[in-house]
Amino acid sequence: MMNSVILQAAGNNMLGTIVPMVLIMIVFYFFMIRPQMKKAKDHKKLVEELKIGDKIVTTAGIHGKIVGSNDTTFLIEVEGGTKIRFDKSAISLDATKAATTAALPKA
């Protein structure tokens, strides 16, 4: 009789501990992990769509125009004709699209 009471109390306590932990993991997934995965997917799509002649902004804030490309890097021409090679992951913004979107009249 005493053993069943102890097992019952331990089972209720364990359930009371596991349910909040599972809920915390679910909330963590939807508010932290999922948005980060979406952001990474959007950035990958942005980099894949870039082509020679597009104006870009890097994560360091350098503005330039793409003049060359290979598998992992872009060759960027900045003001004064200077060319700098950047890793594709360092691209932050497609300034060509941003300028086009900003120029469109709002309905």
Side-chain angles (χ1 to χ4, degrees):
M1 175 80 173
M2 188 63 148
N3 287 339
S4 65
V5 171
I6 292 173
L7 289 175
Q8 225 175 15
N12 287 340
N13 190 18
M14 187 173 251
L15 183 66
T17 304
I18 292 175
V19 170
M21 293 298 281
V22 170
L23 290 174
I24 288 170
M25 285 190 270
I26 290 170
V27 168
F28 187 74
Y29 174 78
F30 280 105
F31 285 106
M32 300 288 284
I33 298 170
R34 190 168 176 227
Q36 192 66 25
M37 289 182 346
K38 184 181 182 317
K39 185 177 179 181
K41 182 180 164 187
D42 291 344
H43 183 263
K44 184 178 179 184
K45 181 180 174 191
L46 166 84
V47 170
E48 288 174 354
E49 291 177 352
L50 290 173
K51 59 189 176 302
I52 294 175
D54 284 346
K55 294 182 180 179
I56 53 100
V57 178
T58 67
T59 54
I62 298 173
H63 295 245
K65 183 172 74 171
I66 298 174
V67 293
S69 174
N70 67 23
D71 291 341
T72 59
T73 62
F74 284 123
L75 186 61
I76 310 298
E77 182 178 357
V78 294
E79 194 167 324
T82 305
K83 295 178 181 165
I84 307 171
R85 186 164 303 279
F86 277 98
D87 194 34
K88 287 184 176 184
S89 63
I91 305 304
S92 173
L93 174 71
D94 182 356
T96 306
K97 284 186 182 176
T100 305
T101 305
L104 294 175
K106 294 181 181 179

